Amino acid sequence: MTTSVVILQPPLVQLNGPYPSGAYLAAFFRSLAAQESGSQLKSVRWIDVSNLFFHHLFSSSGVRRLFSLSGEAALNAALQAEASGDINTAYQLRRYLSLADRWTLWIDDIVSILCGGERELCHAFVRSPYAPRGARMDAFLSELASEPGADDARVLATLAIEDLADFITSVFDSEFSLVRYAESLAMSEHSFANIEAALDRPVVTQFLEPLLAELWEEIGEMGRPDGKILFCISVPFPGCLVAALAMARSLRLFFGDRAVISMGGGYVNTELRAYDRDSLFSYIDQLSFDRGFGGYADYFRKESSSHTMPRRIFCPPDLEVYEDRVTASIVPDYSDIDFSRYPRLADNPNPMHRLWSDGAWIKAYLAHGCYWHRCSFCDVYLDYICSYRMVDVPKLYAGLRAQALAVGVRGIHLVDEAAPPRALRDFATENLRAAWQVNTPHSDHSPHGAGLLSFWGNIRFEKTFSRDLADYIASGGLVGVSGGIEIASPEGFKAVDKGIDLENLVAVCAAFKEAGVLVHSYLIYGYWNEDAQGVIDSAEVMRQLFAAGLVDSAFWHKFVLTRHSRVFREWEKGMHRGGMSGTASASSAALVPIIPSGDFAENDLRFEGEEDSARYTAPLDSALLAWTAGDGLDKPVKKWFPFPMPSPKIASDLIDSYIAAYEKRRDHEWNAPFDQKAHYRWIASAPVPVGTELVWWHLGEEVRLPVNADQIPTILAAVSADTALSGNTAALAGLPRAIFKALRHHGLCRIHPL
């Protein structure tokens, strides 16, 4: 009988915070332990091995061992580089070796700076001529307009870690990276033998396995001596697979038959959905699919009845209602996590990019799945996309807030596929209510106070996000949104069936930017029927969006055809095989998939002609890098490509024309008369009577409204802090039209039912 559950997050997923699957599984198993079906479950523990590995490798003992193991190889590589004329590489490698003792001496302080401790160390690290330096650090220091100060320490410390990572990749393990180790091996890898070979790579054998041996010793006494331990290993990305298998191999060696090893996560759900070969199951016992709640509940139910444990765990039909109920009510449990041990990286000056790495965000979702789930490129037939379930927002917020205040992390990263507008509105409302303590009789005297939590997350750029709604959510703590634009042209939106158009997108981006919210966009190139004209048109639209200040950052992804995507399912039905298909794409181009013949991962597919789009990668990345820094926005997009490209068919003022149309609609909304059926919320500061004026601040600007003295009490009653969440319909209804109009322009939001 299973007596304990240990949830493991393998390296290297991300550095600045734990991946949320562990928090959800921890909450689920602890709730299951309280039920009769989980009566054999006595303890639950979540261990972020990714964070442990970071501190193990980037420590004085780890760096000392690194240089000991790689010194000879680094010296040989320097000699080879010098012989081939690569003087800079030879110089850098020799500098690493010469400064090995300095790296060993300083690495603990560098990590401490990144984790928020020892401010006093910042002065010495930035200024000391005895501190180690690498190429990335040199470049940063050379670009400073003045002498470096303590405030530059976190950037310099981030670059120090990246410099060491460059050294590791160069001379010790070419598959190493700071996140998603050995991703190139696992991505689209259809041979399990190639994955197994990576288990003997240096970072695994010399650093990960010794760490795991220590960890298993520490947790080895969990449960009764004769009890089993269920180990749940999350594999969210391809680059986690090698480390996850190394963990499974190490678990089996240490615990033997006491260990029941289960593997789940995004990679398992997509790539291994039909996998049932013995090769993988020599490392693990089970593959867990989809959310896992119903599947694991069934596992404990069968275990208690002495049934044979299945290799592949899905939610059984009779537990689907149970799983949906858990999905709607569960609050992720971060009680096992010490957030002070996570580095806050300053790896990019772009403010939107920094949200991903700068801050140990608590992660949660407002809804499971995507409420649109129709995009042609997406895995719309898998549970994580198609099984849409909203959560109990008030319950989720209360649980997240309690944990945030307890651990001192005041930021929430919403990891939805696309956070529903209504859920975002309700989350903001809960945040405002907690901050203003509307429903609590006594003030919160905790050391963290009762202020707003900061949150951000992924959305769909749909017209529901009006300026009013954007303003309201921003006032409730929203700082940034990210969302898929994909192919950023009028024809591109039709091809991928986003359900929105370009004018729609501009309006949403404009609304969020005016509300002070950062905007990031995801882009796709190399779509199976996209030609050079489509690429250049998409690039021109993005140039105009950046030039207009509507997006802060973006990222190009090369299109990957997947087995569970809508376009592939349509191809199986005879569509997209040349000629007019009658589907979302009217292109005459034919999709010709190349079905792999390997024995492992099955989701990522190749298709004929996909290599042709590889030539766009470097030009698109170069353009985007410049645009995110505010450079090159007047440069014709054709000039970013070192080969002939057609001229864009996008009008040079297209985005500006859409902005003008948005502003006209926005002003029409603001100028509309009072609506008795609408909900209004005041989000500006409290107006202060100054003579014959009311003065307040909205979006950082002073507002002055001339009023009659007898109107002041009514206006203040309508917009006071006490009515910020519920509004005062009667007071608003009695205001003169001109005053109501002025309030609408400067802080009074109209929230439509969603």
Side-chain angles (χ1 to χ4, degrees):
M1 296 297 180
T2 298
T3 58
S4 304
V5 171
V6 178
I7 303 155
L8 300 169
Q9 178 176 301
L12 284 160
V13 181
Q14 55 195 77
L15 298 183
N16 67 313
Y19 200 72
S21 60
Y24 278 96
L25 286 177
F28 166 72
F29 282 120
R30 283 169 180 147
S31 68
L32 191 65
Q35 303 170 15
E36 183 178 352
S37 59
S39 59
Q40 297 298 322
L41 180 54
K42 303 303 181 184
S43 64
V44 178
R45 183 175 176 186
W46 172 25
I47 303 172
D48 186 357
V49 182
S50 185
N51 184 254
L52 294 178
F53 180 76
F54 172 81
H55 285 278
H56 178 70
L57 177 58
F58 295 103
S59 65
S60 58
S61 60
V63 169
R64 183 183 299 110
R65 179 167 175 77
L66 171 66
F67 281 111
S68 174
L69 293 169
S70 59
E72 183 176 350
L75 185 58
N76 290 336
L79 291 171
Q80 293 174 9
E82 192 170 50
S84 65
D86 188 353
I87 304 303
N88 181 60
T89 296
Y91 165 77
Q92 296 296 346
L93 288 174
R94 288 183 177 131
R95 178 163 64 158
Y96 278 117
L97 296 179
S98 177
L99 294 175
D101 288 343
R102 297 297 169 87
W103 281 109
T104 302
L105 178 65
W106 280 86
I107 188 61
D108 289 338
D109 292 344
I110 291 170
V111 171
S112 178
I113 289 170
L114 289 175
C115 293
E118 283 91 5
R119 171 70 175 177
E120 296 77 13
L121 296 173
C122 297
H123 301 274
F125 179 59
V126 169
R127 301 287 300 174
S128 175
Y130 301 103
R133 295 289 185 259
R136 295 175 186 260
M137 303 167 76
D138 285 346
F140 169 73
L141 292 171
S142 67
E143 293 173 359
L144 290 179
S146 59
E147 287 293 309
D151 291 339
D152 298 309
R154 198 149 59 92
V155 176
L156 203 62
T158 300
L159 297 174
I161 296 295
E162 293 179 350
D163 275 325
L164 275 179
D166 290 342
F167 176 78
I168 296 171
T169 305
S170 177
V171 301
F172 186 66
D173 190 333
S174 60
E175 287 296 330
F176 178 80
S177 63
L178 285 175
V179 291
R180 305 178 192 177
Y181 171 69
E183 184 160 32
S184 63
L185 289 174
M187 183 70 74
S188 303
E189 180 53 67
H190 302 296
S191 169
F192 187 69
N194 291 340
I195 297 294
E196 281 189 299
L199 294 176
D200 294 324
R201 297 196 66 85
V203 164
V204 174
T205 60
Q206 299 297 323
F207 287 96
L208 178 58
E209 289 183 339
L211 169 67
L212 295 176
E214 295 178 7
L215 180 59
W216 306 154
E217 286 283 354
E218 190 255 314
I219 68 173
E221 298 305 315
M222 291 184 66
R224 299 193 305 267
D226 60 338
K228 291 185 179 294
I229 304 176
L230 174 61
F231 291 95
C232 299
I233 305 176
S234 178
V235 189
F237 307 113
C240 304
L241 178 61
V242 171
L245 287 177
M247 292 170 65
R249 181 174 66 179
S250 179
L251 282 169
R252 184 65 71 216
L253 287 172
F254 187 90
F255 289 96
D257 292 339
R258 282 190 67 201
V260 178
I261 305 172
S262 180
M263 188 179 290
Y267 182 81
V268 171
N269 284 321
T270 55
E271 292 288 355
L272 305 179
R273 199 150 190 91
Y275 188 85
D276 198 22
R277 293 174 180 259
D278 291 339
S279 52
L280 176 62
F281 289 100
S282 65
Y283 292 86
I284 67 172
D285 298 292
Q286 301 166 344
L287 289 174
S288 171
F289 295 97
D290 303 325
R291 284 165 276 179
F293 305 141
Y296 280 124
D298 187 48
Y299 164 82
F300 278 96
R301 178 174 63 180
K302 288 180 177 178
E303 185 190 45
S304 63
S305 303
S306 300
H307 286 196
T308 301
M309 295 297 104
R311 278 181 168 183
R312 303 168 70 247
I313 302 177
F314 291 90
C315 178
D318 67 313
L319 288 179
E320 289 178 354
V321 173
Y322 164 82
E323 181 167 79
D324 287 344
R325 186 167 64 249
V326 173
T327 301
S329 62
I330 194 167
V331 176
D333 183 352
Y334 287 89
S335 60
D336 288 330
I337 299 300
D338 181 357
F339 282 92
S340 70
R341 290 182 55 80
Y342 288 87
R344 279 75 162 171
L345 304 179
D347 56 356
N348 194 301
N350 183 280
M352 184 68 207
H353 271 298
R354 284 282 285 274
L355 285 180
W356 272 274
S357 57
D358 191 356
W361 305 89
I362 294 175
K363 300 178 186 292
Y365 55 75
L366 294 176
H368 175 83
C370 175
Y371 58 91
W372 177 248
H373 56 260
R374 286 182 55 183
C375 295
S376 61
F377 60 88
C378 190
D379 292 329
V380 297
Y381 297 101
L382 294 184
D383 178 88
Y384 83 99
I385 296 293
C386 67
S387 296
Y388 175 65
R389 299 290 184 273
M390 281 273 289
V391 308
D392 183 335
V393 174
K395 180 180 179 181
L396 175 69
Y397 178 83
L400 294 179
R401 183 177 181 84
Q403 295 182 71
L405 297 181
V407 301
V409 175
R410 299 291 294 276
I412 307 296
H413 180 192
L414 300 171
V415 294
D416 300 69
E417 295 298 320
R422 182 178 67 181
L424 284 169
R425 179 203 64 189
D426 293 347
F427 195 85
T429 298
E430 295 299 321
N431 205 17
L432 288 164
R433 179 174 290 119
W436 287 110
Q437 304 171 2
V438 171
N439 294 322
T440 55
H442 303 292
S443 296
D444 181 357
H445 295 295
S446 73
H448 300 293
L452 288 171
L453 301 182
S454 176
F455 67 94
W456 64 288
N458 206 48
I459 65 162
R460 180 168 170 265
F461 291 114
E462 61 160 270
K463 62 183 179 181
T464 306
F465 289 110
S466 64
R467 172 63 193 279
D468 278 318
L469 184 57
D471 274 345
Y472 180 71
I473 301 174
S475 74
L478 181 71
V479 296
V481 295
S482 59
I485 294 179
E486 282 39 282
I487 304 177
S489 68
E491 292 304 313
F493 279 111
K494 296 176 184 176
V496 299
D497 196 14
K498 290 294 295 181
I500 59 175
D501 57 29
L502 186 55
E503 184 173 5
N504 215 153
L505 168 76
V506 168
V508 174
C509 290
F512 277 119
K513 289 302 298 175
E514 287 184 323
V517 175
L518 296 167
V519 176
H520 175 86
S521 62
Y522 298 104
L523 305 163
I524 289 177
Y525 70 97
Y527 200 62
W528 64 272
N529 61 358
E530 183 182 40
D531 56 15
Q533 187 66 59
V535 172
I536 201 73
D537 286 350
S538 183
E540 171 61 15
V541 168
M542 289 309 302
R543 183 196 67 80
Q544 292 188 30
L545 288 172
F546 273 101
L550 294 185
V551 293
D552 297 280
S553 64
F555 190 84
W556 291 104
H557 299 263
K558 193 174 184 298
F559 170 69
V560 175
L561 177 66
T562 63
R563 192 179 296 271
H564 299 101
S565 65
R566 189 180 122 190
V567 68
F568 182 73
R569 185 68 61 89
E570 290 173 345
W571 177 84
E572 289 183 313
K573 295 178 180 178
M575 302 178 182
H576 309 304
R577 304 195 181 204
M580 301 298 287
S581 68
T583 63
S585 171
S587 169
S588 60
L591 174 64
V592 185
I594 302 172
I595 309 301
S597 58
D599 65 347
F600 196 56
E602 65 164 10
N603 194 45
D604 286 2
L605 305 173
R606 305 291 301 275
F607 60 94
E608 289 188 6
E610 70 171 299
E611 64 279 357
D612 296 342
S613 61
R615 64 181 183 146
Y616 300 128
T617 302
L620 290 174
D621 287 346
S622 295
L624 206 55
L625 183 63
W627 295 340
T628 56
D631 300 327
L633 294 170
D634 295 327
K635 179 179 177 179
V637 289
K638 287 178 61 175
K639 293 189 175 182
W640 290 103
F641 297 84
F643 45 81
M645 288 287 284
S647 298
K649 292 184 178 180
I650 304 297
S652 60
D653 64 344
L654 180 64
I655 299 303
D656 286 340
S657 69
Y658 287 156
I659 291 174
Y662 155 76
E663 291 174 341
K664 184 177 180 180
R665 292 193 301 272
R666 176 203 64 195
D667 291 345
H668 177 75
E669 280 283 316
W670 280 349
N671 293 330
F674 173 77
D675 184 351
Q676 188 74 31
K677 297 180 180 179
H679 300 279
Y680 294 93
R681 299 291 183 269
W682 181 250
I683 62 171
S685 69
V688 178
V690 180
T692 59
E693 293 181 317
L694 283 177
V695 181
W696 68 88
W697 270 257
H698 180 51
L699 297 177
E701 296 182 355
E702 183 186 54
V703 181
R704 288 180 172 267
L705 177 65
V707 293
N708 297 327
D710 58 352
Q711 296 173 326
I712 292 178
T714 303
I715 297 173
L716 293 181
V719 300
S720 69
D722 290 338
T723 60
L725 293 172
S726 58
N728 189 331
T729 303
L732 289 172
L735 294 176
R737 175 71 181 276
I739 292 178
F740 177 76
K741 178 179 174 181
L743 295 177
R744 284 286 285 123
H745 277 260
H746 300 291
L748 186 64
C749 291
R750 175 179 172 175
I751 309 300
H752 297 274
L754 299 176

